[in-house]
Amino acid sequence: MNTRTKETIRYLGYGNHAVDEQTFALIEESFRELDKIASRRIIYRFFEIIPESDDSLYIGKLHIISKNLSKNLKNCKQAVLIGATLGTAVDQLMRRYQITDMSKAVVMQAAAAAMLEEYLDECQEKIRKEIEMEGKGLRPRFSPGYGDFDISNQKMVLRMLDADKTIGLTMTASYMLTPTKSVTAVIGICELKESCNKTGCEVCDKKDCIYRRNA
């Protein structure tokens, strides 16, 4: 079983329970459809970090008050702002299944989330290779809305990336990204000796989350 299938099962909330054949078939079918229509696009840019206190820092012109993010970026002098999307066709496909086949729609949502994470992991690995010759490494991705990193920071992140023009990524009045299967994130750049390869569930303190990956 490949990684994105495992992640889809986790997003569906199965935990350690076995997946029935029908659900497994829906997952595989969803990926076949998504692979045909997904328009993966990404934009990332590097910015200086200026720390102010234990819970306040600047990334370029973006002023952030967040103890969680400040901890994540401790000792980092630069950060990568990143935006990525699977494109509008994925949204259209999911909306269609929400009308015609709700079971398929639920699985499709999880599969698209897993596909987006897989794409981000691949792109982050490329960035890591770009900077490792300078003796630099990457911290885990950290997105607006995670912990105390307020989701309203989404607006400035998109502006700094010029995401609307570069990859067609915008947001609603409530800071939700559109297309919906999209992500913005901050990735700290640190000295290689301080690099942390842990991501997602492995760095999250919420031990009782039903979506938690077994580490």
Side-chain angles (χ1 to χ4, degrees):
M1 188 185 300
N2 60 37
T3 300
R4 68 179 185 177
T5 299
K6 291 179 181 178
E7 288 296 280
T8 302
I9 292 170
R10 182 172 67 88
Y11 286 135
L12 288 170
Y14 274 85
N16 293 321
H17 301 289
V19 180
D20 59 90
E21 291 185 9
Q22 183 179 2
T23 300
F24 190 81
L26 283 176
I27 292 172
E28 295 301 301
E29 185 178 314
S30 294
F31 279 123
R32 284 194 293 271
E33 293 184 50
L34 288 168
D35 282 330
K36 291 178 182 178
I37 65 166
S39 179
R40 302 170 183 84
R41 302 188 70 189
I42 193 164
I43 177 69
Y44 60 89
R45 291 176 179 169
F46 298 83
F47 295 91
E48 297 297 317
I49 296 175
I50 302 175
E52 281 197 323
S53 65
D54 288 342
D55 62 356
S56 177
L57 72 156
Y58 279 88
I59 298 177
K61 294 181 179 180
L62 174 59
H63 182 218
I64 302 167
I65 298 176
S66 167
K67 186 167 290 187
N68 296 150
L69 182 61
S70 295
K71 181 180 179 181
N72 179 277
L73 299 179
K74 186 177 180 181
N75 298 326
C76 293
K77 295 180 180 179
Q78 281 187 304
V80 186
L81 293 190
I82 187 170
T85 183
L86 297 183
T88 58
V90 171
D91 278 10
Q92 293 167 359
L93 182 64
M94 291 190 299
R95 282 196 296 269
R96 189 171 79 226
Y97 279 119
Q98 285 169 359
I99 297 171
T100 63
D101 187 342
M102 201 58 210
S103 295
K104 181 68 172 291
V106 171
V107 174
M108 185 71 72
Q109 285 275 0
M115 175 179 278
L116 180 58
E117 285 299 306
E118 178 184 57
Y119 179 53
L120 283 163
D121 288 342
E122 291 171 356
C123 294
Q124 186 166 332
E125 178 62 14
K126 291 179 182 178
I127 296 171
R128 186 191 66 77
K129 288 181 178 179
E130 285 181 24
I131 66 172
E132 69 176 355
M133 290 185 293
E134 302 173 11
K136 305 290 184 182
L138 295 177
R139 293 283 171 82
R141 292 191 298 271
F142 211 99
S143 294
Y146 184 72
D148 64 354
F149 183 19
D150 198 276
I151 197 170
S152 63
N153 289 288
Q154 201 96 269
K155 183 176 182 178
M156 189 62 175
V157 171
L158 292 176
R159 184 180 300 170
M160 291 167 71
L161 292 172
D162 202 14
D164 185 7
K165 295 179 181 178
T166 54
I167 61 172
L169 179 56
T170 60
M171 69 176 194
T172 67
S174 56
Y175 306 107
M176 296 293 104
L177 294 174
T178 181
T180 59
K181 289 308 172 186
S182 305
V183 167
T184 63
V186 176
I187 307 174
I189 299 176
C190 60
E191 297 300 319
L192 196 55
K193 61 183 179 181
E194 299 177 1
S195 183
C196 176
N197 293 320
K198 292 183 178 181
T199 60
C201 298
E202 290 76 18
V203 295
C204 179
D205 293 329
K206 190 170 176 55
K207 308 297 184 184
D208 59 346
C209 176
I210 63 171
Y211 302 110
R212 186 172 181 84
R213 182 189 300 112
N214 293 322

